[in-house]
């Protein structure tokens, strides 16, 4: 008898598009468990700013990938996919469907193509890079990285501390440029190859998404994002090079340090979130299959029966 092909469902989308409610409805109807692929929701104590599913929502459907690390830890893409692979095996063994939900592009990319190589970075190299970052900041990291990459740094996000740190560690450990590492990387097998991937990304029209972002920022203020951020600062979030730069928390941290008004804080949160949405749209258009966007305006409801899933590799 031919073995049944397993399916991996991926519901992605821009911030504030409505992924949470749509995912809950779909998972309830089709007997699925949800794996959160949101790089901020992994962390304990960051509930409001990450728009993490609340306790009532988590009670509706089993969720994975929430509250699995402290804010001082770096729960990077390698750790996440080791966790995700094990979790997916467990969900499938229970006869359930797997629904991956999120908007963190680099983490989502790991379901479609390799994102982690086999290079084992030594403690000595890791300490050197971390010390360089602490003493010289991002400028020091970029300067070191350029010595290994005289021909350029390709598409590396030079404003993302974690990406730059990991890139420098691998260049130092291997003695290779990012281009050389990429060529070897391309030979790695496709992850989750045993699954047929069904994918969609949720988008909204500009006027609608702006309205939703503004309401979301106001709601976060009402729910207590300032107090939550103060607790995160006490827990050591500033030790995490990218988490303290996450949209929402970055603006509140600046507000607490600069003493600006709450109106200015809300406006900065809205502006930063709109910029994030623009960045996310570009990523999804580039990395998700053609035709897989799902645009809805504020006058329409989203039906779980009419999601145009698109097959992915």
């Amino acid at each position: 008898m031919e073995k049944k092909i397993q399916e991996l469902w991926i519901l992605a989308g821009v911030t504030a598009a409505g992924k949470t409610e749509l995912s809950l409805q779909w998972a309830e109807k089709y007997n699925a468990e949800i794996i959160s692929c949101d790089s901020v929701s992994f962390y304990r104590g960051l509930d409001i700013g990450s728009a993490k599913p609340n306790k009532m929502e988590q009670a509706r459907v089993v969720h994975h990938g929430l509250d699995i690390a402290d804010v001082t830890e770096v729960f990077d893409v390698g750790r996440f996919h080791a966790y995700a692979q094990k979790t997916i095996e467990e969900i499938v063994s229970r006869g359930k469907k797997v629904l991956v939900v999120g908007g963190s592009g680099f983490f989502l990319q790991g379901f479609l193509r390799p994102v982690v190589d086999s290079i084992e970075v030594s403690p000595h190299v890791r300490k050197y890079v971390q010390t360089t970052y602490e003493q010289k900041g991002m400028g020091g990291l970029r300067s070191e990285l350029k010595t290994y990459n005289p021909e350029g740094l390709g598409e590396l996000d030079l404003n993302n501390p974690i990406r730059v740190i990991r890139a420098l560690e691998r260049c130092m450990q291997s003695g290779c440029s990012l281009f050389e590492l990429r060529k070897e990387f391309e030979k790695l097998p496709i992850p989750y190859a045993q699954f047929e991937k069904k994918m969609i990304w949720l988008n909204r029209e500009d006027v609608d998404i702006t309205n939703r972002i503004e309401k979301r920022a106001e709601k976060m203020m009402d729910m207590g994002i300032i107090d939550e951020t103060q607790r995160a600062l006490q827990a050591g979030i500033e030790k995490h090079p990218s988490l303290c730069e996450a949209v929402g928390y970055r603006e509140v941290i600046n507000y607490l340090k600069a003493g600006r008004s709450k109106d200015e804080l809300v406006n900065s949160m809205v502006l930063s979130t709109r910029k994030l949405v623009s960045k996310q749209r570009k990523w999804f258009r580039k990395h998700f299959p053609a035709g897989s966007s799902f645009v809805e305006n504020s006058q329409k409801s989203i039906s779980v029966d009419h999601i145009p899933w698109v097959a992915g590799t």
Side-chain angles (χ1 to χ4, degrees), residues 147-217:
T147 64
Y148 291 91
N149 297 272
E151 297 180 357
L153 298 172
E155 297 181 356
L156 180 68
D157 184 353
L158 294 177
N159 294 314
N160 186 312
I162 293 296
R163 306 273 178 84
V164 175
I165 286 170
R166 294 293 178 259
L168 180 55
E169 288 175 345
R170 279 160 173 73
C171 287
M172 291 187 64
Q173 187 67 50
S174 65
C176 297
S177 68
L178 292 177
F179 175 78
E180 292 168 331
L181 291 173
R182 170 59 61 183
K183 296 299 289 184
E184 290 300 313
F185 203 67
E186 291 171 352
K187 299 176 184 177
L188 294 175
I190 297 295
Y192 306 94
Q194 73 274 34
F195 291 93
E196 180 182 353
K197 292 147 193 169
K198 302 291 185 67
M199 297 154 29
I200 192 71
W201 67 277
L202 183 59
N203 192 16
R204 286 183 181 268
E205 296 173 356
D206 286 342
V207 173
D208 189 19
I209 198 70
T210 297
N211 182 52
R212 292 174 68 90
I213 289 170
E214 290 172 350
K215 290 182 177 178
R216 173 178 167 136

Side-chain angles (χ1 to χ4, degrees), residues 47 77 112 154 257 271:
D47 302 331
V77 69
L112 310 177
K257 291 184 176 181
L271 179 60

Side-chain angles (χ1 to χ4, degrees), residues 62-254:
V62 175
H63 282 70
H64 306 271
L66 304 175
D67 302 323
I68 52 179
D70 291 326
V71 296
T72 53
E73 297 180 63
V74 176
F75 197 82
D76 60 20
V77 69
R79 286 186 64 185
F80 170 71
H81 279 286
Y83 169 87
Q85 288 174 359
K86 182 175 183 295
T87 301
I88 288 172
E89 290 175 1
E90 293 172 352
I91 296 172
V92 170
S93 72
R94 291 191 284 271
K96 299 286 197 73
K97 285 183 171 61
V98 181
L99 178 61
V100 176
V101 182
S104 298
F106 188 54
F107 288 80
L108 284 166
Q109 188 172 334
F111 291 99
L112 310 177
R113 56 190 61 87
V115 292
V116 180
D117 56 36
S118 59
I119 296 173
E120 295 186 11
V121 179
S122 70
H124 172 74
V125 169
R126 186 147 285 163
K127 182 177 180 180
Y128 175 85
V129 174
Q130 185 62 34
T131 301
T132 299
Y133 175 63
E134 291 171 356
Q135 295 180 351
K136 301 181 181 180
M138 290 294 289
L141 293 178
R142 288 191 285 260
S143 179
E144 290 266 3
L145 192 55
K146 287 176 182 178
T147 64
Y148 291 91
N149 297 272
E151 297 180 357
L153 298 172
E155 297 181 356
L156 180 68
D157 184 353
L158 294 177
N159 294 314
N160 186 312
I162 293 296
R163 306 273 178 84
V164 175
I165 286 170
R166 294 293 178 259
L168 180 55
E169 288 175 345
R170 279 160 173 73
C171 287
M172 291 187 64
Q173 187 67 50
S174 65
C176 297
S177 68
L178 292 177
F179 175 78
E180 292 168 331
L181 291 173
R182 170 59 61 183
K183 296 299 289 184
E184 290 300 313
F185 203 67
E186 291 171 352
K187 299 176 184 177
L188 294 175
I190 297 295
Y192 306 94
Q194 73 274 34
F195 291 93
E196 180 182 353
K197 292 147 193 169
K198 302 291 185 67
M199 297 154 29
I200 192 71
W201 67 277
L202 183 59
N203 192 16
R204 286 183 181 268
E205 296 173 356
D206 286 342
V207 173
D208 189 19
I209 198 70
T210 297
N211 182 52
R212 292 174 68 90
I213 289 170
E214 290 172 350
K215 290 182 177 178
R216 173 178 167 136
E218 293 286 357
K219 182 179 179 180
M220 287 181 175
M221 291 291 291
D222 292 341
M223 292 176 67
I225 190 175
I226 294 175
D227 290 340
E228 180 175 87
T229 304
Q230 288 176 320
R231 291 191 295 271
L233 286 168
Q234 294 170 356
I237 192 174
E238 288 184 294
K239 296 177 182 178
H240 194 297
S242 63
L243 195 55
C244 63
E245 290 294 317
V247 171
Y249 295 108
R250 176 182 62 208
E251 288 70 33
V252 178
I253 290 172
N254 290 338

Side-chain angles (χ1 to χ4, degrees), residues 20 24 28 52-63:
T20 297
L24 289 169
E28 287 175 325
K52 190 180 297 180
N54 60 39
K55 297 302 181 184
M56 291 181 62
E57 290 167 333
Q58 292 182 46
R60 289 170 58 183
V61 174
V62 175
H63 282 70

Side-chain angles (χ1 to χ4, degrees), residues 25-44:
Q25 292 177 16
W26 193 92
E28 287 175 325
K29 181 162 186 174
Y30 295 104
N31 192 29
E33 294 184 19
I34 292 173
I35 297 179
S36 174
C37 188
D38 181 288
S39 61
V40 182
S41 292
F42 301 152
Y43 295 92
R44 288 181 279 272

